[in-house]
């Protein structure tokens, strides 16, 4: 559980600190004013001239960005200027929709105005009863806009005869006509409606001009206008023989078919970030679910060992069900057992309240084969009480008093001797506690491992396809290494039903040892547990928790030493805790061996009105930013 919580902490750190920290921007900007002049052409194209004023703050900016939700091939003549100076632009489109950047003349600060010019072909859809323009003049941007003013100029109704194209959105003619003879529009022929923030209005100033005005448009807001006018005003555009139902007008059709949400690089980046945040949450939930499932059926009335078993055997069994190739608790349990039975003399090193090592001496003869193998591992082959140990190591870990440093032993121990002891221990434990069934494959661990692999590949692919080649892919890699694998490791193997049933009472006894201080007779229980169950606490990995509880319940002078010869004052608790920490890890050499919906449109106006909520996502929506 500690590893699981540590993994959760790393996940939170990666998600909330590393990722936002890599993407954080101290710089920001707003748009004090946006003025757009839009002109409908006889072939249904739309010429736009946008005067956009930036107010930069927090640093210097050098590049502007501009995206248009319109097919790249149908955006023509994109250019940016500042004053009388034409600026350098770059087409950076990586999908079906148009994207461009332009370089500022210098590092810009404060208030700066840029003029952005382009043409959208096939912007007007022509039906048998109306020509329909549905345009998102302002889409999501890097900052809010204080005021937006849009003037839309409509052509008059053409006179004479004109040949329309035979299919939608044809290529432009080699030479467009200089002009199309026409008559002025009448007010009753023009109908308009607007969508956007609640404090927006629109006016049909003249039949030829519709003005949309909006204030305080948020960064993720939009301003859309829809206009109906006579089909004859766009005589060179393709005309459908079907009428348009004014009451059912929704979004403007995207020429060639509207691209999917996934086609946008920004959307793919958002999806990658969402996946980055969701993966660790998913892993942790799966791991917690597996652990909770293992706890189902644990009794709550077990207050003593469920069966007469050697604590070292229980340590081996507990390590087995935890999926450990070597039981780290068996090492400390055997050390405590030999100290309590008078085979070893353990002398703490360091302060009385915080020992950092133990110097051990062989003072008695081991009584079992497992104990004898462990003594051989500690002191060398053929060692006996009172005889300096480890003759086969040249005495390099032996002091003048014949004691051996436990820390030195952990670093210089023989992996062969240790492996022999662990193998013999496992064999003899099986002969006493019965054959332990092999672990079954755990679905939860497999789900986590596969999601680590698939998530890293998919997330990196999304990030790379959105233009982030170095940033997010590396974060996905480190997330898998630092979070995914540790979480997968915390999922214990699936137990055989018979073994699970046998271990449920031992789990209950472990819970009792961890939580006995909450019981009414806790002080009396503390003495019993301290005297009788310390080795079981060590075997089940809760010796540290037991020592803390005992120390808070029983005065130090009432506690017997944890083993003969240990201190009888308050340092007994510290000694036991230090032994648990120092002997928990075996020798290092041994370890190595082992807003998209439409609200519909009602009541167009020939005079004016206020903006409506909702919107149908008109074509040509712009996305403006700077860096």
């Amino acid at each position: 559980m500690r590893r699981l919580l540590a993994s959760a902490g790393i996940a939170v750190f990666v998600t909330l600190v590393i990722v936002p920290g890599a993407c954080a921007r101290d710089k920001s900007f707003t748009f004090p004013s946006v003025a757009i002049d839009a002109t409908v052409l006889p072939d249904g194209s739309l010429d736009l001239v946008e005067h956009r004023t930036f107010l930069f703050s927090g640093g210097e900016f050098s590049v502007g960005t501009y995206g248009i939700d319109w097919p790249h091939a149908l955006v023509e003549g994109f250019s940016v200027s500042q004053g009388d100076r034409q600026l350098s632009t770059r087409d950076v489109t990586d999908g079906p929709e148009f994207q461009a950047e332009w370089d500022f003349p210098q590092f810009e600060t404060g208030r700066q105005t840029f003029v952005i010019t382009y043409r959208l072909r096939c912007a007007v859809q022509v039906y048998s009863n109306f020509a329909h323009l549905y345009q998102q003049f302002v889409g999501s941007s890097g900052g809010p806009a204080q005021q937006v003013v849009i003037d839309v100029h409509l052509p008059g109704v053409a006179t004479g005869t004109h040949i329309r194209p035979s299919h939608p959105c044809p290529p432009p003619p080699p030479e467009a006509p200089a002009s199309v003879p026409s008559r002025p529009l009448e007010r009753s022929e023009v109908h308009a409606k607007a969508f956007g923030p609640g404090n927006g209005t629109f006016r049909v100033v003249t039949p030829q001009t519709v003005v949309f005005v909006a204030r305080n448009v948020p960064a993720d807001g939009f301003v859309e206008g829809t206009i109906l006018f006579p089909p004859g005003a766009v005589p060179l555009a393709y005309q459908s023989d079907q009428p348009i139902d004014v009451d059912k007008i929704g979004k403007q059709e995207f020429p060639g078919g509207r691209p999917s949400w996934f086609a946008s690089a920004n959307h793919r980046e958002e999806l990658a970030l969402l996946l980055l945040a969701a993966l660790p949450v998913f892993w942790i939930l799966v791991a917690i679910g597996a652990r909770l499932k293992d706890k189902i059926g644990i009794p709550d009335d077990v207050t003593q060992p469920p069966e007469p078993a050697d604590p070292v055997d229980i340590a081996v069994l507990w390590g087995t069900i935890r999926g450990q190739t070597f039981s780290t608790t068996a090492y400390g349990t055997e050390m405590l057992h030999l100290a309590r039975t008078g085979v070893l003399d353990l002398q703490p090193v360091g302060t009385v309240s915080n020992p950092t090592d133990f110097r051990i001496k062989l003072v008695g003869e081991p009584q079992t084969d497992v104990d004898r193998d462990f003594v051989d591992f500690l002191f060398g082959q053929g060692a006996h009480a009172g005889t300096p140990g480890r003759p086969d190591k040249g005495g390099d870990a032996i002091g003048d008093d014949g004691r051996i440093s436990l820390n030195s032993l952990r670093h210089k121990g023989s992996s062969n001797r240790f492996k022999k002891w662990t193998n013999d221990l496992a064999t003899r434990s099986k002969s006493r506690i019965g054959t332990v069934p092999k672990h079954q494959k755990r679905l939860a661990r497999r789900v986590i491992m596969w999601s680590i692999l698939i998530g890293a590949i998919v997330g990196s692919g999304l990030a790379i396809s959105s233009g982030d080649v170095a940033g997010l892919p590396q974060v996905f890699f480190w997330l898998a290494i630092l979070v995914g694998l540790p979480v997968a490791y915390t999922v214990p193997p699936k137990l055989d039903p018979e073994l699970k049933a046998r271990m449920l009472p031992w789990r209950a006894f472990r819970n009792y040892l961890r939580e006995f201080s909450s019981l009414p007779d806790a002080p009396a229980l503390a003495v019993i547990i301290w005297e009788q169950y310390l080795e079981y606490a060590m075997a089940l990995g809760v010796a540290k928790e037991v020592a803390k509880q005992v120390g808070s319940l029983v005065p130090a002078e009432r506690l017997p030493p944890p083993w003969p010869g240990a201190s009888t004052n308050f340092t007994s608790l510290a000694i036991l805790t230090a032994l648990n920490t120092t002997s928990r890890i075996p020798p290092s050499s041994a370890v190595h061996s082992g807003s998209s919906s439409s609200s519909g449109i009602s009541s167009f106006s020939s005079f004016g009105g206020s903006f409506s909520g909702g919107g149908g996502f008109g074509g040509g929506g712009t996305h403006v930013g700077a860096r």
Side-chain angles (χ1 to χ4, degrees):
M1 184 58 70
R2 287 194 296 269
R3 289 192 294 268
L4 187 61
L5 293 176
S7 300
I10 295 174
V12 172
F13 178 78
V14 171
T15 306
L16 299 183
V17 178
I18 296 180
V19 177
C23 304
R25 298 184 178 92
D26 294 328
K27 302 188 297 182
S28 63
F29 57 86
T30 60
F31 300 104
S33 68
V34 178
I36 300 175
D37 194 84
T39 302
V40 177
L41 303 180
D43 66 348
S45 297
L46 186 66
D47 277 350
L48 295 110
V49 179
E50 179 175 337
H51 293 74
R52 186 174 284 264
T53 300
F54 289 79
L55 180 58
F56 300 115
S57 61
E60 297 179 332
F61 291 76
S62 60
V63 176
T65 62
Y66 203 93
I68 308 173
D69 293 340
W70 206 244
H72 177 270
L74 301 183
V75 179
E76 299 177 346
F78 182 85
S79 65
V80 182
S81 62
Q82 187 178 37
D84 297 332
R85 183 173 183 177
Q86 196 74 19
L87 303 183
S88 173
T89 62
R90 292 182 300 279
D91 188 332
V92 294
T93 301
D94 65 350
E97 299 174 345
F98 181 85
Q99 293 177 318
E101 295 179 348
W102 74 91
D103 296 319
F104 296 170
Q106 58 189 3
F107 289 102
E108 301 287 8
T109 59
R111 184 184 294 258
Q112 303 292 337
T113 299
F114 300 92
V115 180
I116 304 167
T117 304
Y118 58 93
R119 173 177 293 178
L120 297 181
R121 291 183 45 234
C122 310
V124 177
Q125 302 294 314
V126 185
Y127 299 89
S128 61
N129 54 343
F130 285 108
H132 180 217
L133 172 67
Y134 197 155
Q135 181 70 17
Q136 187 178 92
F137 297 100
V138 175
S140 60
S141 301
Q146 297 178 15
Q147 178 169 291
V148 177
V149 179
I150 304 161
D151 294 309
V152 182
H153 306 286
L154 304 175
V157 177
T159 58
T161 302
H162 301 278
I163 301 177
R164 292 183 180 272
S166 60
H167 57 277
C169 201
E175 294 184 8
S179 63
V180 176
S182 61
R183 64 164 178 83
L185 293 169
E186 298 179 4
R187 183 173 293 276
S188 61
E189 294 178 315
V190 178
H191 310 275
K193 192 171 180 63
F195 299 91
N199 53 353
T201 61
F202 69 94
R203 293 180 298 127
V204 182
V205 180
T206 70
Q208 311 288 147
T209 304
V210 181
V211 178
F212 301 91
V213 179
R215 295 176 179 84
N216 299 323
V217 180
D220 59 349
F222 62 90
V223 177
E224 293 182 356
T226 179
I227 304 174
L228 297 173
F229 52 98
V234 281
L236 305 182
Y238 169 81
Q239 183 176 15
S240 170
D241 58 0
Q242 300 295 321
I244 183 173
D245 187 342
V246 176
D247 294 329
K248 296 182 180 179
I249 289 179
K251 63 185 179 181
Q252 176 76 348
E253 292 300 323
F254 197 87
R258 185 170 293 273
S260 65
W261 182 91
F262 187 78
S264 169
N266 291 332
H267 291 164
R268 292 196 297 274
E269 183 177 18
E270 292 174 2
L271 190 59
L273 291 172
L274 179 62
L275 183 64
L276 186 66
L279 279 175
V281 175
F282 173 73
W283 297 333
I284 292 172
L285 289 178
V286 172
I288 292 176
R291 285 177 167 270
L292 291 177
K293 186 176 180 181
D294 285 344
K295 293 183 178 181
I296 296 176
I298 295 179
D300 56 3
D301 57 351
V302 179
T303 59
Q304 57 186 355
E307 56 182 288
D310 190 304
V312 176
D313 293 337
I314 297 302
V316 172
L317 196 58
W318 182 253
T320 300
I321 71 169
R322 304 306 297 166
Q324 300 169 353
T325 55
F326 164 77
S327 173
T328 56
T329 59
Y331 186 79
T333 303
E334 178 69 13
M335 189 76 69
L336 179 61
H337 167 70
L338 293 177
R340 288 169 70 89
T341 56
V343 176
L344 294 182
D345 179 27
L346 275 68
Q347 183 182 86
V349 177
T351 63
V352 293
S353 60
N354 186 27
T356 58
D357 189 13
F358 286 88
R359 296 177 61 77
I360 60 177
K361 184 177 181 179
L362 182 62
V363 295
E365 295 296 333
Q367 300 301 311
T368 68
D369 291 340
V370 173
D371 294 348
R372 192 171 296 106
D373 288 342
F374 192 71
V375 167
D376 288 345
F377 161 69
L378 293 177
F379 296 96
Q381 194 72 28
H384 296 283
T387 303
R390 303 201 63 114
D392 54 341
K393 293 295 291 184
D396 56 347
I398 305 173
D400 295 337
D401 56 357
R403 293 183 179 273
I404 299 174
S405 165
L406 184 58
N407 280 335
S408 173
L409 193 65
R410 290 171 62 242
H411 294 292
K412 297 181 180 180
S414 166
S415 61
N416 290 331
R417 282 195 304 273
F418 185 78
K419 187 175 182 180
K420 180 180 184 303
W421 176 73
T422 56
N423 291 339
D424 289 346
L425 174 62
T427 300
R428 292 187 171 93
S429 293
K430 289 179 181 179
S431 67
R432 290 190 294 267
I433 63 179
T435 302
V436 177
K438 292 184 178 180
H439 295 314
Q440 300 178 12
K441 293 182 178 180
R442 191 65 181 258
L443 178 62
R445 180 175 289 185
R446 297 171 70 184
V447 167
I448 294 176
M449 295 301 294
W450 276 108
S451 64
I452 290 172
L453 178 62
I454 296 174
I457 294 175
V458 172
S460 299
L462 289 171
I464 293 173
S465 68
S466 67
D468 187 351
V469 178
L472 282 179
Q474 292 189 37
V475 176
F476 272 103
F477 172 79
W478 288 112
L479 183 72
I481 297 297
L482 298 178
V483 181
L485 294 180
V487 170
Y489 179 69
T490 64
V491 178
K494 183 179 180 180
L495 301 182
D496 177 85
E498 181 180 351
L499 178 60
K500 181 179 179 180
R502 180 178 183 180
M503 290 306 298
L504 284 177
W506 281 107
R507 287 180 182 271
F509 182 59
R510 184 176 186 268
N511 291 342
Y512 165 72
L513 294 178
R514 293 179 60 189
E515 302 168 0
F516 73 88
S517 60
S518 62
L519 300 177
D521 53 347
L525 294 175
V527 176
I528 296 175
I529 291 173
W530 183 260
E531 292 179 342
Q532 300 180 18
Y533 300 150
L534 275 186
E535 292 177 45
Y536 285 114
M538 184 76 80
L540 295 170
V542 291
K544 188 174 182 180
E545 290 88 338
V546 167
K548 287 183 178 180
Q549 293 180 91
V550 171
S552 65
L553 294 170
V554 182
E557 60 272 12
R558 289 184 53 192
L559 285 177
W563 58 81
S567 174
T568 58
N569 57 22
F570 69 94
T571 58
S572 292
L573 299 174
I575 289 174
L576 179 64
T577 301
L579 176 63
N580 178 72
T581 302
T582 305
S583 63
R584 184 170 177 80
I585 306 299
S588 56
S589 58
V591 172
H592 292 305
S593 66
S595 73
S596 60
S597 63
S598 172
S599 63
I601 298 178
S602 62
S603 67
F604 275 75
S605 173
S606 298
F607 295 92
S610 60
F611 281 17
S612 299
F617 284 87
T622 58
H623 311 281
V624 188
R627 64 176 186 272

